[in-house]
Amino acid sequence: MGKRVALVLAGCGVFDGSEIHEASAALVHLSRGGAEVKIFAPNIEQRDVVNHLKRSPTEEKRNVLVESARLARGNIQDLAELKASEFDAVIFPGGFGVAKNLCSWAVDGKNCTVNEHVNSTLQAFHSAKKPIGLCCIAPVLAARVFPGCEVTIGQDKNVDGRFPDAETASAIAELGCKHICKNVNESHVDKANKIVTTCAFMCKAPLHEIFDGVGTMVQEVLKLA
């Protein structure tokens, strides 16, 4: 029997929701790993709605759960209904929606607040010693909720211009967590906390390398589950 994995989304689209390629990559690797997946998202209004063609905010109002349903092909549940006891692991793809909708990192940085259902989900899996997978900017959720944990968002310096958000590593360190430098095709496993992270689009890399990096995160999560 395959592992039961919950996937938590933050909307649909890199600038105001979940990063579509990361979510898809996670789902492909979970499928290949024989996992049984259920998808969740918080039933809340998005912080903002971005015109992805112009890369500028609009006056629209959209709901995170409704938008996430696009990625889930309609098969999705309210995050408030997620019970850690029914799953072996949980995974959070990245995208600005994580930093805008699942928490307020985009506005408040290391002083951010985390959505109550996101926080309770993370706490429940952690308390049950079940693995948590996060990619791209999503590792900041773990850094905010679990002081002392180890995560990666890639590199802590903008190596060859490929890591433009490398300063995030410093903010993670200021939260009392340890940032581990990794390449895009690698993930880091915090064995003590069962937290697995990979940088994904925090690195300017070819899509197949990001896909492979997400794959290493999924594989490590399934090993720990």
Side-chain angles (χ1 to χ4, degrees):
M1 183 176 174
K3 303 297 183 182
R4 300 164 300 168
V5 180
L7 186 84
V8 180
L9 298 179
C12 182
V14 59
F15 299 124
D16 57 13
S18 287
E19 211 299 316
I20 293 171
H21 297 295
E22 291 175 11
S24 180
L27 288 167
V28 170
H29 288 293
L30 285 165
S31 176
R32 183 169 288 147
E36 176 188 340
V37 182
K38 289 189 178 179
I39 305 175
F40 297 84
N43 186 10
I44 57 174
E45 188 176 292
Q46 291 184 189
R47 177 175 290 274
D48 63 9
V49 177
V50 175
N51 178 324
H52 279 58
L53 179 62
K54 296 181 179 180
R55 300 192 178 195
S56 60
T58 72
E59 296 301 315
E60 289 182 65
K61 302 293 183 184
R62 297 192 184 187
N63 177 279
V64 174
L65 179 59
V66 173
E67 291 301 295
S68 297
R70 295 173 180 271
L71 277 171
R73 298 172 60 87
N75 189 10
I76 194 168
Q77 293 174 259
D78 187 336
L79 182 60
E81 299 173 7
L82 193 162
K83 295 181 176 63
S85 60
E86 297 178 355
F87 295 91
D88 300 303
V90 64
I91 287 177
F92 290 77
F96 279 104
V98 171
K100 292 178 176 181
N101 305 324
L102 302 192
C103 71
S104 63
W105 188 278
V107 176
D108 302 318
K110 62 183 175 62
N111 298 315
C112 72
T113 56
V114 178
N115 170 273
E116 61 175 315
H117 296 302
V118 173
N119 183 70
S120 62
T121 295
L122 289 167
Q123 295 282 9
F125 277 84
H126 187 260
S127 296
K129 301 189 185 307
K130 294 180 177 181
I132 299 167
L134 311 107
C135 62
C136 195
I137 191 62
V140 301
L141 294 173
R144 189 72 180 98
V145 176
F146 307 119
C149 72
E150 298 177 357
V151 298
T152 187
I153 51 91
Q155 300 291 320
D156 56 11
K157 295 181 178 60
N158 190 9
V159 182
D160 298 326
R162 299 174 74 224
F163 295 89
D165 300 303
E167 72 277 0
T168 304
S170 297
I172 287 170
E174 288 176 22
L175 285 170
C177 299
K178 186 174 183 180
H179 179 265
I180 309 297
C181 291
K182 291 285 182 177
N183 292 322
V184 67
N185 60 347
E186 299 176 316
S187 57
H188 176 69
V189 181
D190 177 347
K191 293 181 180 178
N193 290 292
K194 289 194 172 182
I195 294 171
V196 187
T197 51
T198 190
C199 69
F201 278 100
M202 294 293 274
C203 177
K204 291 183 176 180
L207 182 57
H208 71 276
E209 292 184 12
I210 291 164
F211 181 88
D212 291 345
V214 173
T216 67
M217 181 267 289
V218 169
Q219 289 165 18
E220 294 295 342
V221 165
L222 293 179
K223 283 181 191 176
L224 290 171

